[in-house]
Amino acid sequence: MKKFLIPIAIVAVLGIYLYTKAVGSYNQFVQTEEQVNGQWAEVETQYQRRADLIPNLVNTVKGYAEFEQETLTGVVEARAKATSMTIDPTNLTPESLQQFQQAQDQLSGALSRLLVTVEKYPDLKANQNFLELQAQLEGTENRIAVARRNFNESVVSYNSNIRTFPNNIFAGWYGFETKGTFQASEGAENAPTVQF
């Protein structure tokens, strides 16, 4: 009779262990995924902040100088494209992040062209509204960089969690998949050339 109880006890203990490990893993996956979603929301908030500053910047420039219409149109179109690009936090694949990043990079390029073109207008560069908007835009770009870094860190933690053994088994059972991170923009490895 006792020999019969030992295997049952072992199976019961093993079953309880597997059950608690599975439940604990699931809860851990949910928590880390929610951290990723929270960091993604912060990234979107900072990009939205930048998008909200752009109309004021464009109107200040437009109202202050006879400006190159092509540059202003480029900024407005890039902003429209960037703000129309949204990603569902549950679908943060490398491909969707790359599309999002390309739209944001186009907007960054259009803003850079706008700020370079402003150099031709000394009165505009001295305008207090323009200087404040430029400072806010610079601060927002820094916030975007921090938000992207924090997002990448949370994704690395999440991906590591679901890819390590035995969590990878439970992640597969529960349908948790790896998420993509922001990558450096194309050409970012090349330092800009400065000529005097």
Side-chain angles (χ1 to χ4, degrees), residues 36-115:
V36 169
N37 293 345
Q39 290 300 325
W40 177 249
E42 181 63 23
V43 168
E44 287 184 317
T45 298
Q46 295 310 322
Y47 276 121
Q48 185 61 50
R49 176 182 162 80
R50 178 175 74 169
D52 292 345
L53 286 172
I54 291 171
N56 294 333
L57 185 66
V58 168
N59 287 334
T60 300
V61 170
K62 190 188 301 183
Y64 208 83
E66 290 270 333
F67 212 76
E68 287 87 356
Q69 194 61 36
E70 182 180 327
T71 303
L72 289 175
T73 303
V75 170
V76 171
E77 288 174 357
R79 178 188 180 269
K81 183 176 180 181
T83 56
S84 70
M85 183 77 187
T86 58
I87 298 177
D88 178 17
T90 60
N91 187 30
L92 292 171
T93 62
E95 296 79 21
S96 62
L97 276 175
Q98 185 178 19
Q99 289 175 342
F100 182 83
Q101 186 173 347
Q102 284 174 346
Q104 296 300 330
D105 288 348
Q106 285 178 346
L107 179 56
S108 294
L111 282 172
S112 295
R113 287 188 294 281
L114 174 68
L115 295 176

Side-chain angles (χ1 to χ4, degrees), residues 31-40 42-43 92 97 143-162 179-183:
Q31 289 171 351
T32 55
E33 187 174 48
E34 287 304 314
Q35 288 174 346
V36 169
N37 293 345
Q39 290 300 325
W40 177 249
E42 181 63 23
V43 168
L92 292 171
L97 276 175
R143 288 178 182 183
I144 288 170
V146 169
R148 284 173 57 152
R149 185 190 70 227
N150 292 343
F151 171 77
N152 279 352
E153 288 172 357
S154 67
V155 168
V156 166
S157 174
Y158 168 81
N159 287 345
S160 297
N161 188 23
I162 69 168
K179 300 197 180 289
T181 58
F182 280 104
Q183 305 296 318

Side-chain angles (χ1 to χ4, degrees), residues 184-193:
S185 300
E186 193 173 309
E189 69 278 357
N190 301 327
T193 307

Side-chain angles (χ1 to χ4, degrees), residues 7-19:
I8 291 175
I10 291 173
V11 169
V13 169
L14 187 60
I16 291 170
Y17 170 76
L18 286 175
Y19 175 77

